[in-house]
Amino acid sequence: MKILVPVKRVIDYNVKPRVKSDGSGVDLANVKMSINPFDEIAVEEAIRIKEAGKATEIVVVSIGPAKAQDVLRSALAMGADRAILVETDADLEPLAVAKILKAIALEVAPDLVILGKQAIDDDSNQTGQMLAALLARPQGTFASKVDIDGGHVVVTREVDGGLETIRLTLPAIVTTDLRLNEPRYASLPNIMKAKKKPLEVRALADCGVDATPRLKVLRVTEPPVRAGGVKVADVDALVAILKEVGVA
Ligand code: AMP
């Protein structure tokens, strides 16, 4: 069984994003970039399935600039077997990404594709669902548990107010939620070994996909600045203020 894991290079989750002065987007100049956290969870899950003897190969794929090779090397250091970079400097929308992933999936022929539930830069939460539709495959989104059971995958999903368990026939698409697992750190020997694992770079034009944007970003704004707090002397003063602002 083969597993395909798409990983996106995004602004590191510890970095506070700054909006460009013209409001056209987030300023990425000199900002630390890392593997999307949900994709790291997806790589970890694929490795655990392989370690359990239920998968034979893990292929990771990223669509992005040449520097996205870094996130692919990180995934290889964790334990993926080979990587594909579809190189482009364009900022692609989820539909274009899903179409490219479809082309890669038709070539790699994975039994399972595990994506993150969302990329933390654009928070779209669309690619996995679109890929499932384009490939006409069953999907289990927001997975907090994944079990391979013969020709099926049993996915426990985090839904409002509880958990839902579904059984999908392979080949299938799964997207990861935060509680699925805790990704491992790559050891130094594995980081060194990852440098020798195959990483194929190809041009976006070779995928034969129309990646023309269909959406126009009108503006990006920072969240409103929070007003400062007030320190009160005692409970009576607190109650008086709460009454004053009309919440008590
Ligand atoms: P999104 O729909 O943009 O929130 O992304 C959901 C998931 O799709 C991510 O967690 C990745 O697994 C995958 N994905 C999105 N964009 C890319 C990309 N440029 N390269 C590889 N995988 C991607």
Side-chain angles (χ1 to χ4, degrees):
M1 172 163 126
K2 267 192 209 175
I3 305 178
L4 180 67
V5 185
V7 297
K8 187 176 186 187
R9 177 177 180 265
V10 296
I11 184 166
D12 187 90
Y13 70 96
N14 283 309
V15 173
K16 187 178 179 304
R18 285 185 321 268
V19 172
K20 285 186 197 159
S21 53
D22 64 359
S24 63
V26 170
D27 190 357
L28 294 180
N30 302 317
V31 167
K32 182 175 183 227
M33 305 290 281
S34 304
I35 184 169
N36 181 44
F38 291 106
D39 305 351
E40 205 174 15
I41 293 172
V43 174
E44 174 66 34
E45 196 61 24
I47 296 168
R48 290 186 189 190
I49 294 170
K50 190 178 168 198
E51 285 172 344
K54 293 179 176 174
T56 47
E57 190 185 28
I58 301 166
V59 183
V60 284
V61 54
S62 194
I63 302 150
K67 283 186 174 165
Q69 290 197 27
D70 294 355
V71 296
L72 290 171
R73 288 282 172 214
S74 306
L76 293 171
M78 285 173 72
D81 297 293
R82 66 182 173 99
I84 301 169
L85 171 66
V86 178
E87 195 175 325
T88 172
D89 286 326
D91 199 5
L92 298 180
E93 292 167 7
L95 181 59
V97 173
K99 286 180 186 171
I100 297 164
L101 292 177
K102 176 187 175 187
I104 302 283
L106 290 177
E107 179 192 312
V108 173
D111 302 276
L112 190 59
V113 185
I114 313 181
L115 305 92
K117 77 167 178 183
Q118 72 191 49
I120 62 162
D121 50 1
D122 294 330
D123 280 344
S124 297
N125 176 5
Q126 296 174 13
T127 309
Q129 294 88 327
M130 286 178 170
L131 178 64
L134 291 173
L135 287 169
R137 290 194 185 152
Q139 58 179 304
T141 50
F142 314 144
S144 61
K145 193 162 184 285
V146 173
D147 278 317
I148 304 295
D149 176 16
H152 298 89
V153 54
V154 178
V155 177
T156 303
R157 308 182 55 236
E158 298 207 353
V159 293
D160 263 358
L163 297 173
E164 178 190 56
T165 303
I166 55 173
R167 187 178 156 94
L168 314 173
T169 305
L170 295 172
I173 313 292
V174 167
T175 72
T176 62
D177 215 323
L178 207 58
R179 280 159 289 274
L180 178 58
N181 61 49
E182 210 170 294
R184 69 195 63 195
Y185 288 104
S187 65
L188 192 57
N190 285 346
I191 293 173
M192 300 312 287
K193 267 193 235 158
K195 293 188 178 171
K196 297 208 177 99
K197 289 187 178 175
L199 192 161
E200 182 201 333
V201 181
R202 53 176 81 171
L204 173 62
D206 296 342
C207 291
V209 164
D210 173 13
T212 320
R214 289 156 189 247
L215 306 171
K216 188 169 169 9
V217 175
L218 299 181
R219 71 190 149 276
V220 177
T221 49
E222 302 250 359
V225 181
R226 282 182 61 181
V230 182
K231 227 176 185 175
V232 290
D234 50 33
V235 174
D236 289 344
L238 173 65
V239 172
I241 289 183
L242 292 177
K243 280 189 178 150
E244 202 180 300
V245 295
V247 293

